[in-house]
Amino acid sequence: MHQPESSTLQPLVDHAFRHASGRMKAILLRMVGPQRFDLVEDAVQDALLQALRTWAIQGVPQQPEAWLIRVAKHKLIDRLRRHARTDPLGEHLAQTLTAARDPDAHFSGECDDERLLLMFRCCGPGLPVETGLTLTLDAVCGFSAAEIARALMKREAAVAQRLVRAKRYLRKDPSPLSTPDPAAFHQRLPRVLAVLYAMFNEGYASHRGTQLLRTDLCDEALLLCGKLTAFLPQKQAPVHALVALMAFQMARFPSRQDEQGLPLRLADQDRSKWDTRLMRLGLAHFSAAASGNHRSRYHLEAEIAFCHISAPTMAATDWQRILNCYDQLWAQYATPVIALNRAVAIGHVQGAEQALTLLDVLEPDLATYAPYHLTRAHFLAITDQVAAACKALEQAQKCTSTAPSAAYIAHQISRLTHLNGRDT
Amino acid sequence: MTKFLVLLHEPPPGESPISPEEIQAVIAKYVAWHQQLVDAGHMELGYKLTEEGGKRLLHQDGQVVVSDGPYSEAKEVIGGLFVIEAEDYEQAVALCRDCPHLDHGRIELRQVEPT
């Protein structure tokens, strides 16, 4: 950048630093072992700060990631030497690292394997899914504690504490996981998928946070899950199913909000805005998932998403097929939220009254869940029970914590009362 | 056009908990500002200075004394510099007004004597 001629500066791709951070941690951890996670983290942060100070003035280098990993390696060597008193092996590692060739680092391709290996580490059997998710977002995806706190709607201090405990666990994890070991992967895969599902769900959730869709989380989850399909030693149908589910849901993002950022009901969404590239990606993985006999929850949820994505209009939606899927889901996972979604399908197949009967049963479990009240309000309105519908909407308002949702509900209330010629 | 030295003064770097995403955003701001000046033909070069305090030389009691620069105790250090070309101070100031460095430090602008 000290040359004044036309610069060949390429802009950094979106989230380049975030992803580079995860890759560098994974690469360096493989070189010095997970018990030195703290040193690796600090070295990586040092490298990123160095990039901040240097590139700001001297420009982005031609190979940004190669620059970063080289600097991170040297920072790590420094730290290993400084800790040699308490970590005798550290000096030896420092020498090995000094002699070693700089790790190959590219923006895409091979090195994502490193991130996935690290992810398997972060999703070990000793950690609850939420901790695995927090740790994955930090170590693999490069989110700061503050960013994780915002994304997961938690206090930053709580996230930081959770990370401390999780890293303690990571440091003690004896499993090598340095080469793809089919048995180890098989054991951890369900947890990895659960974490990716949770990550996607957090991004997709429409009833929390100030933004309806935190697409960063969804993007990360889809990216990692997609790479997982290529990475695993054997084809795993549930992984393809999960990719399909995510791709189908994300394909619908462009239509979910109106110009003011308020949520639109599925019936009111403009389907022509749906992302065809993501739909095709989903379909490819949906086909790939159709192998073997067992249909995981991801298969069933992907099929439900497929029913929506393949319907040209709301009226043309195959609600019977959706209901069949929910029946099977309910048989495997009898959770209130699945019951709620199944009630919606029942409403479309058997009528609003049937749905309302089912919904009444769910009240104790879902009283604080805004979508529950919104669903009741919808079916109450269909059956002309306007006053009850408005009450349900008010209940929803009490449960909602996002500005867009609150505005949406207020709009629904006024629409209903206006239609009925009443002002309550 | 005249050359100007743009000296970037800043407090010594501390431990700031900044995320990779935030770092990228800051770099993007700098790169955008820099590119603006390059495109308009004003940017000649930029140097980032290394973090240690450097060396100080002075003549004392009949000899040259060399000491380390007081980096860690200093309230302010020069983090780097640009050399830009502008018609006059007015234009130089205009070019530096939206330099992202001002978000966390101060800029000293000095005109180079024309040869």
Side-chain angles (χ1 to χ4, degrees):
Chain A
M1 199 145 128
H2 2 288
Q3 292 79 22
E5 296 91 10
S6 66
S7 41
T8 48
L9 278 180
Q10 75 227 77
L12 288 165
V13 301
D14 276 354
H15 315 305
F17 265 62
R18 215 182 238 167
H19 295 164
S21 145
R23 274 195 277 274
M24 286 191 280
K25 283 182 201 171
I27 289 170
L28 293 173
L29 272 177
R30 286 232 311 205
M31 290 169 107
V32 302
Q35 64 275 36
R36 296 184 180 82
F37 192 79
D38 294 336
L39 286 184
V40 166
E41 266 205 316
D42 290 341
V44 167
Q45 185 69 359
D46 285 350
L48 294 173
L49 288 173
Q50 176 106 333
L52 171 58
R53 294 192 280 268
T54 310
W55 298 5
I57 298 172
Q58 289 177 184
V60 177
Q62 287 289 8
Q63 302 196 304
E65 203 156 317
W67 189 102
L68 283 170
I69 189 69
R70 190 169 31 92
V71 169
K73 191 185 95 164
H74 285 114
K75 299 283 184 187
L76 180 59
I77 289 168
D78 286 344
R79 284 180 181 269
L80 282 167
R81 295 221 151 104
R82 263 185 274 156
H83 282 77
R85 246 182 341 108
T86 47
D87 180 11
L89 197 52
E91 176 57 50
H92 169 77
L93 281 168
Q95 288 175 15
T96 313
L97 274 179
T98 310
R101 225 167 46 100
D102 282 335
D104 269 322
H106 308 275
F107 261 132
S108 64
E110 306 97 69
C111 280
D112 281 307
D113 284 1
E114 301 287 359
R115 286 175 82 208
L116 289 170
L117 277 172
L118 181 54
M119 186 172 180
F120 270 88
R121 268 200 183 287
C122 293
C123 299
L127 289 175
V129 169
E130 177 152 5
T131 307
L133 171 60
T134 307
L135 185 56
T136 300
L137 285 173
D138 170 294
V140 178
C141 303
F143 283 66
S144 68
E147 287 169 344
I148 295 170
R150 271 203 308 275
L152 302 182
M153 302 285 294
K154 305 274 182 217
R155 288 181 311 114
E156 191 177 333
V159 169
Q161 262 190 26
R162 203 178 259 273
L163 283 172
V164 165
R165 284 199 298 271
K167 283 170 193 176
R168 210 177 290 147
Y169 165 88
L170 200 72
R171 283 200 293 273
K172 296 205 186 109
D173 180 5
S175 61
L177 278 188
S178 54
T179 50
D181 166 12
F185 283 128
H186 204 257
Q187 199 216 15
R188 291 188 179 212
L189 186 61
R191 186 61 60 94
V192 168
L193 294 182
V195 166
L196 287 171
Y197 181 85
M199 191 187 296
F200 185 83
N201 219 31
E202 289 296 333
Y204 185 81
S206 61
H207 59 284
R208 312 208 301 171
T210 52
Q211 259 184 281
L212 265 186
L213 298 166
R214 288 186 298 284
T215 48
D216 280 6
L217 290 179
C218 294
D219 289 339
E220 283 296 320
L222 178 63
L223 193 72
L224 284 170
C225 206
K227 294 200 188 288
L228 197 55
T229 58
F231 173 76
L232 290 169
Q234 284 171 313
K235 172 166 149 172
Q236 301 278 359
V239 186
H240 286 284
L242 183 52
V243 178
L245 169 62
M246 292 181 186
F248 287 150
Q249 304 290 56
M250 287 177 76
R252 290 161 40 198
F253 282 178
S255 70
R256 280 182 56 133
Q257 298 175 30
D258 66 16
E259 304 83 46
Q260 281 95 39
L262 295 183
L264 285 170
R265 297 177 309 166
L266 184 55
D268 299 330
Q269 288 175 26
D270 178 1
R271 297 180 180 222
S272 70
K273 289 189 178 160
W274 289 352
D275 185 325
T276 48
R277 188 192 65 89
L278 280 167
M279 284 166 71
R280 281 198 299 274
L281 179 72
L283 284 168
H285 282 278
F286 194 54
S287 316
S291 68
N293 293 318
H294 174 63
R295 280 152 61 73
S296 66
R297 79 172 290 165
Y298 307 124
H299 280 90
L300 294 167
E301 294 195 40
E303 186 165 340
I304 291 165
F306 172 75
C307 288
H308 286 299
I309 209 83
S310 54
T313 61
M314 184 74 166
T317 309
D318 189 347
W319 284 103
Q320 182 61 59
R321 188 170 172 188
I322 292 176
L323 179 56
N324 293 344
C325 290
Y326 275 118
D327 285 341
Q328 291 179 66
L329 267 175
W330 174 252
Q332 288 182 45
Y333 308 92
T335 71
V337 172
I338 286 181
L340 173 63
N341 290 323
R342 183 173 167 272
V344 172
I346 292 264
H348 285 273
V349 173
Q350 298 174 11
E353 289 296 352
Q354 295 292 95
L356 285 167
T357 310
L358 274 175
L359 288 169
D360 285 339
V361 175
L362 294 172
E363 208 271 333
D365 290 307
L366 295 174
T368 57
Y369 189 56
Y372 168 74
H373 298 288
L374 289 171
T375 307
R376 278 196 74 235
H378 168 75
F379 287 115
L380 286 166
I382 288 181
T383 51
D384 284 326
Q385 300 176 64
V386 177
C390 285
K391 272 184 113 163
L393 285 172
E394 280 155 25
Q395 288 285 89
Q397 247 176 351
K398 290 199 200 114
C399 306
T400 199
S401 51
T402 81
S405 286
Y408 163 81
I409 296 169
H411 174 75
Q412 293 302 314
I413 293 176
S414 72
R415 202 180 60 103
L416 260 185
T417 53
H418 175 77
L419 277 175
N420 238 53
R422 226 180 284 186
D423 15 335
T424 358
Chain B
M1 290 228 274
T2 322
K3 290 195 208 293
F4 289 82
L5 216 63
V6 182
L7 293 164
L8 307 174
H9 294 271
E10 60 196 14
E15 295 286 321
S16 50
I18 182 174
S19 75
E21 191 80 343
E22 288 165 333
I23 290 175
Q24 183 164 345
V26 173
I27 290 176
K29 273 178 88 171
Y30 272 91
V31 166
W33 175 80
H34 189 276
Q35 193 59 43
Q36 243 188 316
L37 269 71
V38 167
D39 290 342
H42 295 293
M43 179 60 68
E44 181 156 317
L45 59 83
Y47 288 138
K48 169 83 187 79
L49 302 179
T50 59
E51 304 280 287
E52 32 62 34
K55 299 280 181 204
R56 294 182 153 195
L57 289 85
L58 60 98
H59 216 233
Q60 207 171 51
D61 302 326
Q63 54 184 329
V64 175
V65 174
V66 181
S67 57
D68 287 336
Y71 196 77
S72 51
E73 303 92 69
K75 294 210 196 74
E76 208 180 45
V77 297
I78 299 180
L81 61 95
F82 293 107
V83 176
I84 63 174
E85 295 203 322
E87 290 298 330
D88 49 30
Y89 264 114
E90 198 184 320
Q91 193 185 40
V93 165
L95 292 172
C96 291
R97 250 183 202 288
D98 51 1
C99 176
H101 183 80
L102 292 168
D103 289 341
H104 69 274
R106 70 177 177 90
I107 287 178
E108 185 182 349
L109 205 47
R110 295 291 303 275
Q111 183 171 340
V112 175
E113 225 22 286
T115 42

